[in-house]
Amino acid sequence: MTEWEAIKRPKLDNEAEQNMSTTISNSQPLPFSRYLSNSFQHSQKHPILSDSKLVVYDLKVDRPELPEEYEETAWNRLRVAIHAIQKNEPSTESLEVLYQLCENLCQYDKAEKLYKHLYEECRQYIEVRFEDLASNAKEGDEYLHDVHLFWKSYCKQMSQIRCLFLYLDRTYIASTTKTGSMWNMAMDLFRENFNRYDIVWQKVLNSILDMIKMERIGQMVDELFLQSNIRMLMDLNLYHSSFEQHLLVQTQQFYNEEGDRLLESINIFDYLEHVSTRVHQESILRVKSYFDKSTKSHLQSIVEKELLTKRVESILVKCFDYFQSIDHFQDGDYDKFSLLYRLLQKVDKLEICAKYFTAYVKTKGSSILCDKTSVQNKVNMISAFDSQNDEVVDHSFEGDEQFVDGLKDGTEYFINLRENNTIKLLAKHTDQVLRNPVFDEDLLEKGMFLFRHIQGKDEFEVLYKRDLAKRLLLNISHKHAEKIMLAKMKIECGAGYTGKLEGMLKDIEKSGELMKEFHEYNMDTQPQLNINVNLLTYGFWPSYIPINVNLPSTFHQAQELYNNFYLTKFEKRVLTWQNSLSVCDIKANYPNGTKQITLTLLQTIVLLLFNVTTRQSYSFTDILNYSQLDELELRRTLVSLSCREYKLLQKYPQGDDIKPTDQFSFNYDFYTDKDQLSMTTATLSEVIEKNSRLDTTVLFAKDQQIDAVIVRIMKSRTTASHGFLLNEVTGVVRFPVTAQEIKKRIEVLIDKEYLERGPDDSYTYLA
């Protein structure tokens, strides 16, 4: 109920009725009998009734006729009062009298005509005022103030007029007309004139929209004034029918331009903060201040569409480019991810965000693995990257399954990407940790993150077995650390995965026990050499190619003694001696001092040749004939003795390439500050690695693959020496190969005219 409907019918006093009756005629009777009114004083002829109950049956009162001029006179008096109100002037007559005139006309069935007169007066008045507004030359806020003043005055005037015609409003207008009330009639007239005078409507509309735009860009506006004007449109039922659509169009244009401008000019996370602020302003603050609640969802939808949905690709590219560029997250970076998640959740774009997150994990992880830094640094960076991603998914992305799955997919992708060589990286990292004199289990656990995700666990097992063999044979492993690593792998892959690796550890332990028994068994016939034998169970250890070599008699005697002892323990077992894996401790007498040197057996055999003082030097061919070694093994051995850090032998001419005509002699000038040297680690590691190549990538016959490697090397170099070609081929093929096998394939390629012999034991590629 409006304030006008709450107005009660004014009480008429005695003086007002007397004045009315006197004005009409002193001789004519009043329209209503005074005897039915208790507002007059009672005479003695008609005393006041007592409290006793009085029942009157079939009471009939004749209604007196209206005077002929009463209707016209009454309307003229009412019209004068309407004009006075419209001019904001006081009425010359009492409101009670005017009200009674309206009531009298209505009771004598004059309501319809009275309503038409009233409607016409209001229509003419408002049309005149709108004509004035249409001709008003003002613009913007000034024009809107004029309209607003007219609106407030019009509402006040119609409120006063309604007080006069309240009886008409509650009877005839309420039950007969379409408007249903005088107030609705007033609003209809105002709205019709807005529609008729489009120039007025456009000025008002543009002024209100301009004020809204100014407020959006941060300029000061009178919010109460803006609120009052929008309420005017609501009262006129123009808010939804005419104003709201223009508002939404302007809002869409405003935020489209703002999105284009800000996305290119400010930081992407400042942009996201701005979007969050805009959503709050449009959906909460402005709705509370002046917009209708029904507009909230439309405004919020437009802001989210223009600032987020339309630009989601650009936003995600910029966000993840930023995250890609930083190495370590700060606390604020997790909040940035969280803000991105909450905003995209509003517009149902989390799926595409999850795809970008997965791509980010793939790219960032691959960049870390491809970074040219140390193995330990890579593993530390990958471990930190994994912890960082877990924090992002659990807290910033609130554990959303899309991002959990995306993180898993992205991690498995970059870890198992062939170009990243993750398996080799993990093998190197594990080997370094287990070789370190100070064991750090935390570093080992960081590597286990990679192990859990790699798909080629079988390939890692081969690499790990090879490295474990090197650590055990070189006696540089920690048994406790090795067992911890095997326990971790057993948890992940089961006992079948680690069975052979555990067998390797047990072999070393059993070998120590057998050596004690060997020394007890040979108490009377101890060998000239103090030997220590490691028994490697076939199937547990990598497959090594036995190397034939001409052993000195003392070495041969020691092996025979152990063979005899072993047959007494295990009659049906056969020992195969891996001479290439053997290690010797020797005493070398140099003019500059005596040195204790640890060498491989093959290095020792070559050096013992130089104990013959009657000969100063030997050629490569001489040493090859004496040692009966494979040419490739001899080249590798001589390079380690004459071309590395410790040059125990001198080579003529100097250089890393070994030729059949090269001469070698004892290096009398050798000197080092160290009294004890070890030349086995790098050499023996190379032997173990060369002789235990992976067999998983041999896709066609062995001979054909050797041919392909030789042709590829010669095609890239055109000319190569025999020694260089042997070294290059063994470095490329992924299976054990001997010098004789390579020589044989070279001869075949010469016969097929792929190669031809050149001078100085070289080969030339024939295009």
Side-chain angles (χ1 to χ4, degrees):
M1 181 183 294
T2 61
E3 56 178 313
W4 299 279
E5 293 174 345
I7 299 176
K8 303 296 183 180
R9 172 181 172 178
K11 184 177 179 182
L12 302 179
D13 54 20
N14 298 339
E15 181 181 357
E17 270 196 35
Q18 290 175 359
N19 291 339
M20 180 183 70
S21 60
T22 304
T23 305
I24 296 174
S25 174
N26 292 328
S27 59
Q28 294 181 355
L30 293 170
F32 302 97
S33 173
R34 70 171 53 203
Y35 303 112
L36 296 180
S37 174
N38 60 1
S39 59
F40 292 95
Q41 295 181 354
H42 296 279
S43 61
Q44 293 181 355
K45 186 177 179 179
H46 301 286
I48 299 175
L49 298 177
S50 66
D51 293 337
S52 60
K53 186 176 181 180
L54 177 65
V55 179
V56 180
Y57 297 97
D58 298 329
L59 178 63
K60 295 181 181 180
V61 179
D62 293 334
R63 185 176 64 177
E65 296 292 333
L66 278 178
E68 294 181 1
E69 299 179 354
Y70 183 84
E71 180 182 358
E72 182 179 354
T73 303
W75 166 244
N76 288 334
R77 294 168 65 187
L78 289 170
R79 182 172 57 186
V80 171
I82 292 172
H83 290 169
I85 292 173
Q86 291 173 343
K87 295 177 182 178
N88 297 319
E89 297 175 353
S91 176
T92 57
E93 295 192 60
S94 170
L95 296 178
E96 290 81 358
V97 174
L98 297 172
Y99 178 89
Q100 188 65 57
L101 291 174
C102 174
E103 181 179 0
N104 292 342
L105 292 174
C106 291
Q107 289 181 347
Y108 277 86
D109 301 328
K110 305 297 182 182
E112 181 179 2
K113 191 173 182 180
L114 179 62
Y115 173 73
K116 291 181 179 180
H117 286 308
L118 174 63
Y119 180 85
E120 187 63 23
E121 286 296 324
C122 293
R123 185 189 65 78
Q124 292 178 2
Y125 169 73
I126 198 170
E127 283 186 0
V128 172
R129 295 301 305 272
F130 263 86
E131 288 178 359
D132 294 340
L133 290 174
S135 60
N136 192 331
K138 294 180 180 179
E139 298 288 343
D141 289 351
E142 293 184 358
Y143 187 83
L144 189 60
H145 274 88
D146 289 349
V147 175
H148 183 64
L149 290 175
F150 168 50
W151 163 253
K152 291 177 65 177
S153 175
Y154 178 74
C155 291
K156 182 179 180 180
Q157 293 167 1
M158 291 308 300
S159 175
Q160 294 175 353
I161 293 174
R162 182 176 178 274
C163 290
L164 301 181
F165 294 88
L166 185 60
Y167 191 88
L168 176 69
D169 187 32
R170 291 180 173 178
T171 54
Y172 176 79
I173 298 178
S175 60
T176 307
T177 63
K178 293 181 179 180
T179 58
S181 70
M182 187 180 297
W183 178 252
N184 290 341
M185 178 202 75
M187 297 299 103
D188 288 346
L189 287 172
F190 207 99
R191 181 171 57 253
E192 289 172 2
N193 279 273
F194 253 140
N195 295 332
R196 182 179 297 112
Y197 293 92
D198 186 64
I199 186 173
V200 178
W201 166 247
Q202 290 298 329
K203 284 186 175 183
V204 170
L205 175 64
N206 292 334
S207 298
I208 294 176
L209 293 178
D210 288 344
M211 287 188 69
I212 294 172
K213 184 175 181 179
M214 291 171 62
E215 192 272 335
R216 280 174 171 161
I217 62 178
Q219 295 185 13
M220 295 296 296
V221 297
D222 188 344
E223 290 193 7
L224 292 178
F225 178 65
L226 178 59
Q227 179 190 60
S228 180
N229 281 282
I230 292 179
R231 291 291 182 270
M232 172 187 72
L233 301 181
M234 293 180 184
D235 291 338
L236 294 172
N237 291 331
L238 291 173
Y239 183 87
H240 294 291
S241 62
S242 301
F243 171 74
E244 187 178 44
Q245 186 60 34
H246 292 281
L247 169 67
L248 297 180
V249 170
Q250 187 214 48
T251 302
Q252 186 269 333
Q253 294 174 347
F254 176 81
Y255 285 113
N256 180 48
E257 295 173 358
E258 183 177 77
D260 289 338
R261 184 180 72 258
L262 295 182
L263 195 59
E264 299 299 328
S265 61
I266 65 174
N267 178 276
I268 185 60
F269 298 104
D270 293 338
Y271 178 83
L272 293 179
E273 290 285 356
H274 178 77
V275 172
S276 179
T277 301
R278 284 301 197 189
V279 171
H280 179 70
Q281 289 175 343
E282 296 295 344
S283 61
I284 304 297
L285 301 182
R286 292 192 176 96
V287 170
K288 284 185 177 180
S289 298
Y290 40 81
F291 289 144
D292 187 71
K293 291 181 179 180
S294 63
T295 314
K296 173 182 176 178
S297 59
H298 299 297
L299 290 173
Q300 183 173 344
S301 177
I302 289 174
V303 175
E304 292 171 349
K305 177 183 177 183
E306 295 300 324
L307 297 183
L308 285 174
T309 306
K310 289 175 60 174
R311 296 169 171 81
V312 66
E313 294 280 353
S314 300
I315 291 172
L316 290 173
V317 168
K318 288 178 178 290
C319 286
F320 285 102
D321 282 349
Y322 166 78
F323 293 123
Q324 182 73 32
S325 65
I326 60 177
D327 293 329
H328 303 288
F329 278 15
Q330 304 298 325
D331 291 339
D333 293 322
Y334 295 106
D335 296 335
K336 292 172 183 177
F337 260 129
S338 181
L339 175 61
L340 177 66
Y341 175 82
R342 286 184 282 107
L343 289 175
L344 295 184
Q345 189 179 38
K346 292 177 178 291
V347 295
D348 195 25
K349 292 295 180 181
L350 290 181
E351 183 177 356
I352 187 172
C353 182
K355 292 180 180 178
Y356 271 85
F357 177 67
T358 303
Y360 155 74
V361 173
K362 293 178 180 179
T363 306
K364 184 68 174 178
S366 296
S367 67
I368 294 174
L369 291 177
C370 295
D371 191 13
K372 293 181 179 179
T373 184
S374 66
V375 172
Q376 186 171 342
N377 284 342
K378 281 186 181 181
V379 174
N380 288 336
M381 291 168 66
I382 284 293
S383 179
F385 181 60
D386 175 61
S387 300
Q388 177 179 287
N389 290 337
D390 288 341
E391 181 75 13
V392 169
V393 171
D394 291 341
H395 298 285
S396 300
F397 293 151
E398 302 175 6
D400 194 307
E401 290 186 2
Q402 296 180 84
F403 294 91
V404 173
D405 295 340
L407 175 59
K408 180 180 178 181
D409 294 343
T411 302
E412 290 184 350
Y413 174 84
F414 79 77
I415 286 180
N416 293 288
L417 194 64
R418 181 175 295 275
E419 291 81 357
N420 293 341
N421 295 318
T422 309
I423 296 177
K424 292 182 179 180
L425 172 69
L426 176 58
K428 289 181 181 178
H429 168 74
T430 307
D431 186 50
Q432 289 178 4
V433 173
L434 296 177
R435 281 172 177 264
N436 197 314
V438 180
F439 173 61
D440 189 342
E441 190 172 351
D442 290 337
L443 289 177
L444 198 63
E445 184 59 34
K446 289 179 180 180
M448 287 304 297
F449 160 70
L450 295 175
F451 180 79
R452 294 184 185 99
H453 287 87
I454 60 173
Q455 296 172 352
K457 288 184 172 61
D458 292 339
E459 186 177 351
F460 173 76
E461 180 192 4
V462 176
L463 292 175
Y464 183 83
K465 180 187 291 187
R466 184 193 67 191
D467 294 335
L468 176 61
K470 287 189 287 185
R471 293 193 297 273
L472 295 177
L473 294 176
L474 296 174
N475 196 25
I476 54 175
S477 65
H478 300 272
K479 299 297 189 295
H480 176 65
E482 298 287 357
K483 290 179 179 179
I484 290 177
M485 181 61 188
L486 292 178
K488 290 179 180 293
M489 291 194 292
K490 182 184 287 188
I491 293 174
E492 297 295 332
C493 302
Y497 185 80
T498 59
K500 294 181 179 180
L501 303 175
E502 291 172 341
M504 294 172 67
L505 291 177
K506 292 178 181 179
D507 280 349
I508 300 300
E509 294 174 358
K510 290 180 180 179
S511 297
E513 296 173 0
L514 283 175
M515 283 309 302
K516 292 180 181 178
E517 296 182 19
F518 170 74
H519 290 300
E520 293 174 358
Y521 178 79
N522 292 287
M523 290 291 293
D524 298 330
T525 57
Q526 288 290 334
Q528 297 180 11
L529 297 177
N530 182 18
I531 67 170
N532 182 61
V533 179
N534 288 321
L535 291 173
L536 314 182
T537 302
Y538 181 79
F540 288 174
W541 293 73
S543 298
Y544 302 112
I545 300 175
I547 297 209
N548 296 320
V549 63
N550 182 21
L551 288 173
S553 58
T554 54
F555 290 88
H556 184 72
Q557 179 194 6
Q559 288 186 359
E560 285 299 322
L561 285 174
Y562 193 87
N563 278 333
N564 295 333
F565 160 74
Y566 190 77
L567 289 175
T568 62
K569 300 284 292 182
F570 310 99
E571 295 181 0
K572 295 183 180 181
R573 296 186 183 179
V574 178
L575 291 179
T576 301
W577 292 86
Q578 294 288 347
N579 295 317
S580 62
L581 304 181
S582 300
V583 177
C584 298
D585 290 329
I586 69 167
K587 182 179 181 181
N589 298 309
Y590 282 93
N592 294 322
T594 300
K595 307 295 181 183
Q596 297 290 335
I597 307 176
T598 301
L599 301 170
T600 67
L601 176 59
L602 303 185
Q603 289 173 326
T604 303
I605 292 173
V606 172
L607 284 181
L608 288 176
L609 182 62
F610 292 88
N611 277 341
V612 179
T613 58
T614 59
R615 189 170 179 177
Q616 297 297 319
S617 65
Y618 294 87
S619 68
F620 175 83
T621 304
D622 294 336
I623 299 174
L624 183 64
N625 293 331
Y626 166 77
S627 65
Q628 297 298 309
L629 277 170
D630 178 76
E631 182 181 342
L632 187 61
E633 287 296 333
L634 181 57
R635 287 178 181 275
R636 184 186 299 150
T637 302
L638 289 173
V639 166
S640 66
L641 293 173
S642 61
C643 301
R644 295 291 182 257
E645 180 182 1
Y646 300 117
K647 295 180 175 60
L648 303 183
L649 299 177
Q650 286 184 335
K651 173 182 171 294
Y652 304 97
Q654 295 182 357
D656 293 339
D657 191 12
I658 305 296
K659 297 180 181 180
T661 57
D662 289 348
Q663 295 290 321
F664 297 89
S665 63
F666 187 72
N667 185 10
Y668 291 94
D669 297 328
F670 174 75
Y671 174 78
T672 179
D673 293 335
K674 298 178 181 180
D675 292 331
Q676 294 183 347
L677 305 178
S678 178
M679 298 179 62
T680 61
T681 303
T683 305
L684 192 58
S685 296
E686 183 181 0
V687 171
I688 295 173
E689 188 169 341
K690 293 285 185 182
N691 291 339
S692 58
R693 288 290 188 177
L694 300 181
D695 195 30
T696 57
T697 58
V698 180
L699 303 179
F700 44 88
K702 186 176 180 179
D703 291 345
Q704 291 176 320
Q705 188 165 352
I706 295 175
D707 291 349
V709 171
I710 294 173
V711 170
R712 185 164 64 248
I713 294 172
M714 293 302 299
K715 188 175 182 179
S716 63
R717 295 185 60 86
T718 306
T719 302
S721 66
H722 178 72
F724 175 82
L725 186 57
L726 287 181
N727 291 332
E728 287 296 306
V729 172
T730 56
V732 173
V733 296
R734 295 178 63 82
F735 50 83
V737 63
T738 64
Q740 292 301 323
E741 290 174 327
I742 299 176
K743 284 182 178 180
K744 182 179 179 181
R745 300 317 304 169
I746 291 175
E747 294 296 333
V748 171
L749 292 174
I750 290 175
D751 293 340
K752 293 182 178 180
E753 297 183 351
Y754 283 94
L755 305 177
E756 68 176 1
R757 295 187 185 276
D760 299 328
D761 197 20
S762 64
Y763 303 101
T764 303
Y765 176 71
L766 301 176

